[in-house]
């Protein structure tokens, strides 16, 4: 009887266990409630499908940049998280049922207890334990899918937040629309919890700093930060001022040095103060990575804020107007005094909000509000600066004061500031918040870069002039030690100043091209600049700084060798050859040009520069050639053709476009032609290639002197012919071979046209020989009584009508 009872109990357990697992649920299961029937689901299939969906979403997110598509994928991830949670809640009762069935069977009897159960019960217990294990694995898998979907959703939100900085054409709604302000009044529950959690982390970090044993150090760091911002900045400025007044010579260098050190003192004070605060709160090991990253970003942001405030104080210099570099009146400077610290405060405030949103992983809507407020206040500030400046100038004119004379550049800067402010406000009104934010931070970044360029260029120029001036101790020492003229010192100062300004222009262009600090954190931009000049950027170009001096030495040595070899060829070797002078000059010019190019290429190769890294230079040159350099390149190529093919050479007598003279020099770009009056005409080489050129000396060293005369019809042609031949034969410069000749050119109603021709030794003698021949011919003709034919004229007279009209005459 007991065996039958055990058998019936076993059958009942099998039915209870297997019944919930039969079939597949058609709808998403909901959380079970007491007394409700557990829905039928196939957990294995559901989990497999969910994992595939999760992997597919990850794959699509990895290559997606569109904000709308990312928002859609975020919704899919959140929905998947809810489905995984629902499935997990439906599996938990099954685990409870299996545990209840195992409790009914009880634990397996111990081996030493002497109790033995049937094989069916043991088998059933094993089956239930196996199913329970699989159920627990399914719960863990569902929980992992839920967690993965939540993490993926957070990553998608971060991607959307970062995409807002680059997708300038994204319309997020006007700032006057309710959609823009909705997250502020109806914040998503996730944002509230995330912000609350992050605030709790910040408060916990602050609490760690004020624990016993840490409180004293925290207070000391905070005190050091406060002292650095107040007394530290003041004493730094006074120290730099003492150095400038007592150690630098009077002049512009002292003023530019004081202005630069004012900005430097402000930057140092702000940066050190923020780093002290960072050290006060994040020196614990228990600080979370999110809080530490947030604090590091604030410390990096202090560099930008310090630059804004420092450059403003240096340019306005309201306390010491004599230190002011730009031409700004005192009234305008006082009116603009609040704006640098105000701008720095706005940048710090809203960048802090952005960093906070990033650290808390808030939604995109909250981030858009912060971006819109940032752009709105910065745009309003830029407009306020422009309007207040104009208002102060108008008031000065009304009061009879003369405002400072503004240059065209200052006017353009103020116009750009006004237009940028209007563009920011307009883009906010029409809903392009991302574009407005980009313009705002781009405006500030350009102001920082251009301000630094102006300040450093002034300091560099004044330093070079003072260092090499004979009025300074360093200039007199250099002049005495090197025994060089004052003019050469001035040239060195100008050269160094121009070189330094060129480098500053390149650095400023790189800073502007790399983007604004609004598209990346300020510390990241500073790190990029340091990494580039620290070696990583140069390493990308394969330039090793240690090889630069070697390359410069080789460049100077190569140019010296090229000059020596050129002199040797010009004075020693080529004159002893059979080459004419024009050929020798062409060879020297070609040798110098090719040698110079090879030396430059050799120096760059020694420096370690890889040519495959210079694709951007080739692109820039191609654009330049297509626009402004095409004439220069055309003349350069034409010059090489002239030097190699030698259709004309130095010493040739050529005629082009009505210009006739001797070629004196063929340069790379143009050719010098000396006229008979000793003046020189510069002709581009391309004209000598593309136009018709008459070369009187090419292939023939002799010249031909031809004179054409017209005689009356009644002369004796034989007599006149002999007379002309005698004149040519008696002239010493007329060659005997070929002998002179007279040609009957034409017979017209006006007379007989004769042409007498004779050769001279050089085409350059033709003009003077013809002059002598004409004098002799006219003298001989007058002596022989032979006259030249006079041009005939016809006079037509119209007789008047009346009594007093004269008689007609012909």
């Amino acid at each position: 009887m007991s065996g039958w009872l055990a058998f019936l109990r076993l059958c009942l357990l099998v039915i209870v266990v297997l019944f919930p697992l039969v079939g597949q649920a058609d709808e998403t299961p909901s959380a079970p409630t007491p007394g409700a029937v557990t829905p039928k689901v196939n957990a294995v299939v559901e989990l497999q499908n969910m994992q595939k969906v999760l992997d597919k979403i990850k794959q699509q997110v990895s290559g997606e940049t569109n904000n709308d598509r990312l928002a859609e994928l975020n919704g899919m991830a959140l929905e998947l998280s809810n489905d995984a949670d629902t499935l997990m809640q439906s599996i938990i009762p099954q685990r409870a049922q299996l545990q209840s069935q195992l409790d009914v069977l009880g634990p397996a009897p111990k081996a030493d207890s002497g109790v033995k159960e049937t094989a069916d019960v043991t088998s059933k217990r094993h089956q239930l334990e196996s199913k329970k294990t699989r159920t627990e694995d399914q719960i863990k898998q569902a929980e992992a899918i839920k967690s993965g979907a939540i993490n993926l959703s957070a990553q998608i939100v971060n991607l959307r937040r970062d995409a807002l900085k680059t997708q300038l054409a994204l319309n997020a709604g006007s700032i006057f629309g309710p959609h823009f302000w909705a997250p502020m009044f109806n914040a998503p529950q996730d944002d509230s919890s995330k912000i609350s959690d992050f605030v709790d982390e910040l408060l916990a970090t602050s609490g760690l700093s004020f624990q016993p044993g840490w409180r004293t150090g925290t207070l000391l760091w905070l005190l050091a930060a406060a002292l650095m911002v107040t007394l530290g900045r003041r004493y730094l400025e006074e120290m730099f001022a003492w150095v400038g007044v007592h150690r630098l010579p009077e002049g512009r260098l002292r003023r530019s040095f004081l202005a630069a050190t004012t900005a430097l003192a402000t930057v140092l004070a702000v940066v050190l103060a923020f780093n002290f605060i960072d050290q006060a709160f994040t020196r614990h090991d228990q600080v979370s990575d999110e809080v530490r990253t947030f604090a590091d970003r604030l410390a990096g942001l202090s560099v930008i804020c310090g630059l804004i405030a420092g450059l403003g104080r240096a340019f306005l210099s309201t306390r010491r107007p004599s230190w002011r570099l730009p031409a700004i009146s005192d009234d305008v400077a006082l009116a603009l005094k609040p704006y640098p610290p105000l701008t720095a405060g706005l940048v710090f405030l809203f960048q802090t909000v952005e960093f906070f949103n990033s650290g808390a992983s808030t939604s995109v809507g909250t981030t858009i509000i912060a971006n819109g407020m940032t752009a709105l206040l910065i745009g309003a500030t830029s407009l306020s600066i422009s309007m207040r400046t104009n208002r102060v100038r108008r008031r000065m004119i009304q009061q009879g004061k003369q405002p400072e004379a503004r240059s065209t550049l200052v006017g353009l800067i103020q116009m750009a500031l006004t237009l940028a402010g209007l563009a920011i406000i307009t883009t906010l009104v029409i809903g392009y918040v991302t574009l407005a934010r980009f313009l705002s931070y781009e405006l500030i970044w350009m102001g920082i870069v251009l301000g630094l360029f102006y300040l450093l260029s002034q300091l560099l120029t004044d330093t070079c002039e003072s260092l090499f001036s004979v009025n300074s101790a360093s200039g007199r020492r250099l002049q005495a030690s090197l025994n060089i003229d004052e003019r050469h010192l001035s040239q060195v100062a100008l050269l160094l100043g121009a070189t330094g300004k060129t480098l500053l222009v390149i650095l400023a262009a790189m800073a502007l091209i790399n983007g604004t600090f609004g598209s990346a954190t300020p510390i990241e931009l500073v790190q990029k600049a340091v990494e580039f000049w620290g070696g990583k950027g140069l390493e990308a170009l394969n330039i090793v700084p240690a090889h630069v001096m070697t390359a410069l030495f080789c460049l100077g040595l190569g140019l010296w060798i090229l000059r020596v070899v050129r002199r040797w060829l010009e004075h020693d070797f080529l004159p002893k050859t059979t080459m004419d002078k024009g050929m020798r000059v062409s060879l020297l010019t070609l040798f110098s040009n090719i040698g110079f190019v090879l030396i430059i290429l050799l120096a760059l190769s020694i420096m370690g520069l890889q040519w495959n890294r210079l694709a951007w230079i080739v692109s820039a040159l191609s654009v330049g050639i297509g626009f402004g350099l095409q004439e220069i390149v055309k003349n350069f190529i034409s010059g090489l053709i002239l030097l190699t093919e030698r259709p004309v050479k130095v010493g040739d007598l050529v005629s082009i476009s009505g210009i006739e003279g001797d070629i004196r020099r063929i340069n790379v770009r143009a050719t010098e032609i000396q006229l008979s009056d000793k003046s020189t005409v510069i002709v581009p080489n391309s004209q000598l290639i593309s136009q018709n050129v008459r070369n009187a000396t090419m292939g023939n060293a002799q010249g031909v002197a031809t004179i054409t005369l017209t005689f009356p019809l009644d002369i004796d042609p034989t007599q006149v012919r002999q007379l002309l031949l005698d004149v040519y034969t008696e002239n010493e410069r007329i060659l005997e071979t070929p002998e002179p000749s007279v040609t009957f050119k034409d017979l017209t109603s006006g007379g007989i046209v004769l042409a007498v021709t004779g050769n001279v030794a050089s085409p350059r003698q033709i003009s003077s020989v013809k002059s002598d021949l004409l004098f002799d011919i006219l003298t001989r003709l007058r002596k022989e009584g032979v006259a030249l034919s006079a041009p005939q004229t016809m006079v037509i007279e119209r007789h008047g009508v009346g009594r007093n009209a004269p008689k007609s005459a012909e």
Side-chain angles (χ1 to χ4, degrees):
M1 189 66 180
S2 60
W4 282 102
L5 291 175
F7 178 77
L8 290 175
R9 186 172 61 180
L10 178 61
C11 293
L12 181 61
L13 289 175
V14 171
I15 293 173
V16 173
V17 171
L18 294 180
F19 181 77
L21 301 180
V22 178
Q24 181 178 357
D26 296 332
E27 297 179 356
T28 303
S30 59
T33 58
V37 180
T38 304
K40 299 178 181 179
V41 294
N42 190 337
V44 176
V45 177
E46 290 291 335
L47 290 173
Q48 290 179 354
N49 294 335
M50 289 181 181
Q51 186 63 46
K52 291 180 180 179
V53 172
L54 181 60
D55 295 340
K56 186 176 180 180
I57 296 175
K58 288 181 178 180
Q59 183 179 4
Q60 293 179 0
V61 169
S62 62
E64 189 61 55
T65 57
N66 184 267
N67 182 70
D68 296 335
R69 181 56 181 164
L70 288 174
E72 182 181 352
L73 293 174
N74 184 37
M76 295 173 61
L78 293 176
E79 183 180 359
L80 180 62
S81 173
N82 294 332
D83 293 342
D85 182 69
T86 303
L87 180 60
M88 182 176 60
Q89 296 300 328
S90 67
I91 299 176
I92 290 176
Q94 299 177 16
R95 182 182 61 180
Q97 291 178 357
L98 292 173
Q99 183 62 43
S100 300
Q101 295 171 4
L102 287 174
D103 293 340
V104 172
L105 292 178
K110 298 181 180 180
D112 56 353
S113 62
V115 179
K116 293 185 178 179
E117 61 183 5
T118 62
D120 295 335
V121 174
T122 303
S123 176
K124 189 59 180 178
R125 181 184 291 107
H126 290 165
Q127 292 178 4
L128 292 176
E129 290 177 350
S130 177
K131 291 178 181 179
K132 180 185 175 184
T133 301
R134 288 197 300 269
T135 305
E136 291 178 348
D137 292 340
Q138 292 171 0
I139 293 175
K140 292 180 181 179
Q141 186 177 359
E143 187 176 1
I145 293 176
K146 175 185 177 181
S147 177
I150 293 175
N151 293 333
L152 180 59
S153 175
Q155 294 174 1
I156 293 175
V157 171
N158 290 332
L159 288 176
R160 292 183 63 195
R161 186 184 298 108
D162 294 338
L164 289 176
K165 301 176 182 179
T166 57
Q167 294 181 0
L168 303 181
L170 178 64
N171 194 322
S174 172
I175 58 174
F176 297 112
H179 179 70
F180 178 83
W181 300 100
M184 180 175 291
F185 300 100
N186 188 16
Q189 185 176 2
D190 292 342
D191 283 357
S192 300
S193 61
K194 291 177 181 179
I195 292 174
S196 178
D197 293 341
F198 194 64
V199 169
D200 291 340
E201 290 185 10
L202 294 177
L203 293 177
T205 302
S206 178
L208 289 175
S209 301
F210 286 97
Q211 287 181 348
W214 296 89
R215 187 181 299 112
T216 303
T218 302
L219 294 176
L220 290 177
W221 281 114
L222 294 177
L223 179 61
L227 292 176
M228 179 56 65
V229 171
T230 55
L231 299 179
R233 180 187 59 81
R234 178 181 176 182
Y235 287 123
L236 277 175
E237 288 186 4
E238 291 182 356
M239 181 191 69
F240 288 136
W242 184 89
V243 172
V245 173
H246 295 85
R247 291 293 182 265
L248 295 179
E250 295 184 0
R252 294 187 303 176
L253 175 60
R254 180 180 295 180
R255 188 181 62 170
S256 59
F257 173 79
L258 294 176
T261 53
T262 299
L264 179 61
T266 304
V267 173
L268 288 176
V270 173
V271 171
L272 289 176
F274 273 91
N275 280 273
F276 291 164
I277 297 175
D278 185 11
Q279 185 66 22
F281 290 104
T282 62
R283 66 186 190 276
H284 308 275
D285 296 335
Q286 295 86 352
V287 177
S288 63
D289 294 337
E290 292 79 7
V291 174
R292 194 177 299 276
T293 302
F294 177 73
D296 291 341
R297 286 184 172 183
L298 293 183
L301 180 61
S302 65
V303 178
I304 300 298
C305 297
L307 284 174
I308 296 174
L311 291 175
R313 297 186 70 252
F315 285 143
L316 299 179
S317 188
T318 55
R319 293 181 56 191
R320 301 178 179 89
S322 60
W323 294 9
R324 191 179 302 143
L325 286 178
I328 301 176
S329 63
D330 293 341
D331 294 339
V332 174
L334 289 174
L336 297 180
K337 181 180 179 180
Y339 286 101
L342 174 62
T343 305
L346 290 176
V347 171
F348 180 80
L349 174 62
F350 288 104
Q351 279 284 285
T352 303
V353 173
E354 290 191 18
F355 295 157
F356 183 88
N357 290 336
S358 178
S361 298
T362 57
S363 63
V364 177
T366 306
T367 304
I368 289 177
I369 290 181
N371 293 343
M373 293 299 297
T374 303
L376 178 63
L377 292 178
I378 293 178
T381 302
S382 63
L383 289 177
S384 176
I385 291 174
S386 180
M387 291 187 295
R388 188 165 186 177
T389 301
N390 292 332
R391 190 185 310 116
V392 171
R393 289 197 175 98
R394 288 195 299 267
R395 187 169 62 247
M396 291 176 62
I397 295 175
Q398 294 173 359
Q399 295 176 355
K401 298 180 181 180
Q402 184 65 28
E404 75 278 5
R406 291 190 303 172
S407 63
T408 304
L409 180 60
V410 174
L412 290 176
I413 292 175
Q414 186 172 355
M415 182 183 298
L417 191 66
T418 304
L419 294 178
L422 292 175
I424 293 170
I425 301 299
T426 303
T427 51
L428 286 175
V429 171
I430 62 178
Y432 291 95
V433 177
T434 305
L435 178 59
R437 175 192 179 278
F438 170 79
L439 293 176
S440 301
Y441 285 119
E442 191 71 22
L443 177 64
I444 295 177
W445 182 247
M446 290 180 64
I448 293 174
V449 172
L450 296 180
L452 283 174
F453 171 75
Y454 175 80
L455 192 62
L456 294 178
S457 62
Q458 291 288 332
L459 179 62
L460 178 65
T461 302
D462 296 341
T463 301
C464 292
E465 291 181 357
S466 177
L467 183 64
F468 294 96
S469 175
V470 293
N471 296 325
S472 63
S474 59
R476 291 191 295 269
R477 191 177 299 109
L478 286 173
Q479 186 181 22
S481 59
L482 300 178
N483 194 20
I484 57 178
D485 189 36
E486 178 182 353
R487 177 172 55 89
H488 295 155
L489 287 176
S490 301
Q491 293 174 353
V492 172
L494 291 175
L495 181 61
L496 290 179
T499 304
K501 283 187 176 181
T502 303
L503 293 177
L504 290 177
V505 169
I506 295 175
L507 290 176
M510 290 176 57
L512 293 175
I513 292 173
N514 285 336
T516 172
F517 66 88
S519 61
T521 60
I523 191 64
E524 289 174 353
L525 289 176
V526 175
Q527 288 174 351
K528 288 181 180 179
V530 174
E531 287 175 358
F532 182 86
W533 295 109
K536 292 186 178 180
L538 298 178
E539 183 179 342
L541 295 175
N542 199 29
I543 297 178
V544 179
H547 296 168
V548 173
M549 294 303 298
T550 304
L552 293 177
F553 173 76
C554 293
L555 177 63
L557 181 62
L559 293 177
W560 179 78
I561 293 176
L562 178 64
R563 184 178 181 182
V564 172
V565 174
R566 191 181 187 281
R567 286 183 177 179
W568 176 76
L569 289 174
E570 182 180 4
H571 299 289
D572 297 334
F573 179 75
L574 291 180
K576 298 180 180 179
T577 62
T578 58
M579 299 180 186
D580 56 79
K581 182 179 179 181
M583 183 64 180
R584 295 200 300 267
V585 174
S586 299
L587 284 178
L588 285 174
T589 305
L590 188 62
F591 170 77
S592 300
N593 295 333
I594 295 177
F596 183 76
V597 172
L598 292 178
I599 290 173
I600 295 295
L601 295 178
L602 178 62
L604 293 177
S605 299
I606 294 174
M607 191 181 297
L609 189 64
Q610 293 182 355
W611 303 110
N612 56 1
R613 301 287 185 179
L614 298 181
W616 60 278
I617 295 181
V618 177
S619 301
L621 286 178
S622 63
V623 175
I625 291 172
F627 289 96
L629 300 180
Q630 55 181 351
E631 290 296 330
I632 297 176
V633 173
K634 182 169 63 175
N635 291 324
F636 175 76
I637 300 300
S638 301
L640 295 180
I641 295 174
L642 293 177
L643 293 174
T644 53
E645 293 188 359
R646 303 180 71 241
V648 294
K649 59 183 183 295
V650 176
D652 286 352
L653 179 64
V654 298
S655 177
I656 177 175
S657 300
I659 299 173
E660 184 175 10
D662 298 326
I663 294 180
R664 290 305 179 201
R665 181 176 299 175
I666 301 177
N667 298 318
V668 176
R669 189 194 65 83
T671 298
E672 300 177 5
I673 299 179
Q674 187 178 28
L675 305 183
S676 58
D677 60 354
K678 303 303 180 181
S679 63
T680 302
V681 177
I682 308 299
V683 179
N685 292 330
S686 58
Q687 295 187 13
L688 296 174
I689 298 296
S690 60
Q691 296 185 10
N692 296 328
V693 180
R694 176 178 174 269
N695 192 340
T697 57
M698 184 176 181
N700 182 20
Q702 297 181 357
V704 179
T706 301
I707 299 177
T708 302
L709 301 172
T710 303
F711 296 93
L713 294 175
D714 56 352
I715 65 166
D716 184 1
T718 304
Q719 177 188 3
V720 174
R721 177 176 181 274
Q722 188 60 43
L723 185 148
L724 294 177
L725 289 176
D726 292 342
V727 172
Y728 265 69
T729 304
E730 294 173 1
N731 193 291
E732 296 180 352
R733 291 188 289 181
I734 298 295
L735 301 179
E736 296 180 357
T737 304
E739 60 184 8
S741 62
V742 176
T743 304
F744 201 117
K745 299 289 293 184
D746 199 2
L747 180 62
T748 65
S749 59
I752 300 173
V753 181
L754 300 179
V756 55
T757 302
N759 286 33
V760 294
S762 171
R764 296 175 180 83
Q765 300 179 7
I766 292 177
S767 178
S768 60
V769 171
K770 288 178 66 175
S771 177
D772 295 341
L773 292 173
L774 285 172
F775 274 113
D776 293 342
I777 288 173
L778 292 177
T779 302
R780 190 74 61 90
L781 290 176
R782 180 169 296 181
K783 182 178 179 180
E784 297 293 336
V786 179
L788 293 174
S789 176
Q792 298 182 356
T793 60
M794 179 179 295
V795 179
I796 300 176
E797 297 181 358
R798 177 170 295 180
H799 301 287
V801 180
R803 292 182 303 172
N804 298 328
K807 296 181 179 181
S808 61
E810 297 182 359

